[in-house]
Amino acid sequence: MKVSSMTNIGRNREMNEDFLFVSKTPVGNLPNLFIVADGMGGHNAGEYASRRSVEIITDELMRSQEKSPEKLLEQAVQKANSAILEAAQNDPSKQGMGTTIVALSLIKEKACVANVGDSRLYILEETIRQVTQDHSLVAEMVRKGELEKSQANDHPDKNIITRAVGVAPKLKVDYFERELHLGSYVLMCSDGLTNMVGDEDILEIVNRADTLEEGTEKLVETANENGGKDNITVILIEPFN
């Protein structure tokens, strides 16, 4: 397995509220673990929410005796949700904070994915497939047929997310399992990439790169060239190399 990762503040933000985690070695009963978290909230609250959620998720996974990857990821994300919500209630400066989470463990030939919010996981082969579903107002409008997908990126409410870690006591965590094949790439990213670079351009950049590192750097560079309106985080994985 080869992995390349990068997080970048972008061109418009004063602080990087994204956080990433990469472990090619076991984390508790998971054989590996990759996480992208995109925090939100005033002052330092977004940065705290993303970083602390990742810490809680990894700690919970290390302690859990559960074997099922779905249950492991679900329980760990729920633990983070409770802790971030409690921290926000106890500290007025952290009220309203939250974070997206997309977490992945590669188990044999499967991608096991947990997702809350609008950070994404893609599988890239001859085509690019978005595995996760965005929990955002605009994405829900597209799914209901109220908005064309081509109109989504320019919609004024595109940054409103409908589900996040640390916002409400009850949280639904999406879970997906997808088969991977020789030649597959897995891309995890915050919306700082996907709001600035289209899916087909992402596929072309990765396919044209000579190395994973070059592909990762070019994705971040292109997002900044196209405006860099948000923090940009990328994890690019070649599972069978």
Side-chain angles (χ1 to χ4, degrees), residues 15-135:
M15 177 179 293
N16 192 345
E17 295 183 320
D18 287 1
F19 195 84
L20 65 81
F21 178 88
V22 170
S23 177
K24 292 164 66 174
T25 56
V27 177
N29 286 334
L30 293 177
N32 48 66
L33 182 65
F34 310 91
I35 305 174
V36 170
D38 180 357
M40 61 185 187
H43 306 293
N44 299 329
E47 184 274 335
Y48 175 88
S50 59
R51 175 178 52 80
R52 186 70 187 125
S53 289
V54 171
E55 290 171 354
I56 292 163
I57 288 167
T58 54
D59 288 348
E60 183 67 13
L61 289 169
M62 291 294 288
R63 282 197 293 265
S64 179
Q65 299 303 307
E66 179 61 59
K67 301 293 185 186
S68 158
E70 180 175 4
K71 289 179 180 176
L72 278 165
L73 291 169
E74 162 84 23
Q75 290 169 4
V77 173
Q78 293 290 358
K79 188 83 170 181
N81 185 63
S82 299
I84 297 302
L85 190 62
E86 183 180 357
Q89 290 168 343
N90 292 335
D91 184 346
S93 72
K94 292 183 172 64
Q95 285 179 4
M97 71 175 173
T99 185
T100 70
I101 289 286
V102 58
L104 164 72
S105 188
L106 297 169
I107 303 176
K108 296 182 180 175
E109 296 179 351
K110 277 188 181 177
C112 302
V113 187
N115 180 61
V116 178
D118 62 354
S119 293
R120 295 179 180 177
L121 184 142
Y122 292 91
I123 295 173
L124 286 67
E125 292 166 341
E126 274 108 25
T127 58
I128 180 168
R129 286 184 292 136
Q130 182 180 337
V131 173
T132 53
Q133 285 194 345
D134 294 353
H135 303 136

